[in-house]
Structure formats: structure tokens, C-alpha cells
Amino acid sequence: MKKISYFLAIMFCFLAFSPAVNAAGLSKDKEETELSPEDEARLEEMKARVDEIKSMDLSELSKDERKEVREELRGMKKEAKAMGDGIYLSVGAIIVILLILILVT
């Protein structure tokens, strides 16, 4: 019984103090990045293309055409993420963070 309580106490300490250390390091290193005019123009082109794809009737396309459109959208998404250099969280990561917060409180 003592081993379990010691293990839980150590795990709680790791969970309680490690996020505070990581968060402090990230806020200082974060610099504001601004897009160049070429990148902004490319971003506008990508937005226009995405709007065009959204307005299309995908049910009329063949399976291969839908696959090409899907691959094009994925490529544009990766390119936009690279340009923005932002921080993105997946649904799984958000669920894990919420579970940790619930367990800590």
C-alpha cells in the first residue's frame, strides 16, 4: 500500500510542476512572425481555391477526381501550416489535457 501511495505522490509532483516549467519556456521563445507579400498572395490563392472546392458538387465527381481534390486540400493544409508556423493540437491531445486537469483538481 505504501508503494502505491509513494508512486502516486511522485506522479502528482511530476504532473503538477512539469507543465509550469514548459509553459514558461515557450512564452519567452515565441516570436511574432509576419508573412511576406508572396506568402500572403499564395495564402489568398489557397483560400480562393478552398472556397471553389467547397462550392463544387462532389457527388458528380468520379472516385479518382474526389481523391485528387482530397490530396490537393491536404497539400494546401500542410503548406498553410508551414507558413503560419502555429501550434496545433489534435483532438486526442485536448482530451489528454482535459483528463490531466480533471485528475489534478
Side-chain angles (χ1 to χ4, degrees), residues 43-44 56 66 70-71 77 97 102:
L43 194 59
E44 289 300 320
M56 290 171 49
R66 283 194 303 258
R70 189 169 44 249
E71 288 174 0
K77 184 177 181 180
I97 291 170
I102 291 170

Side-chain angles (χ1 to χ4, degrees), residues 70-86:
R70 189 169 44 249
E71 288 174 0
E72 181 184 1
L73 285 172
R74 286 181 184 159
M76 286 191 294
K77 184 177 181 180
K78 286 180 184 179
E79 187 178 343
K81 281 184 181 182
M83 274 190 237
D85 197 28

Side-chain angles (χ1 to χ4, degrees), residues 49-93:
R49 179 65 180 144
V50 168
D51 290 337
E52 181 182 329
I53 291 172
K54 283 182 179 179
S55 65
M56 290 171 49
D57 187 16
L58 297 177
S59 63
E60 296 176 357
L61 299 177
S62 69
K63 185 176 181 179
D64 293 332
E65 291 171 338
R66 283 194 303 258
K67 186 176 181 180
E68 288 175 9
V69 169
R70 189 169 44 249
E71 288 174 0
E72 181 184 1
L73 285 172
R74 286 181 184 159
M76 286 191 294
K77 184 177 181 180
K78 286 180 184 179
E79 187 178 343
K81 281 184 181 182
M83 274 190 237
D85 197 28
I87 298 174
Y88 297 95
L89 293 175
S90 67
V91 175

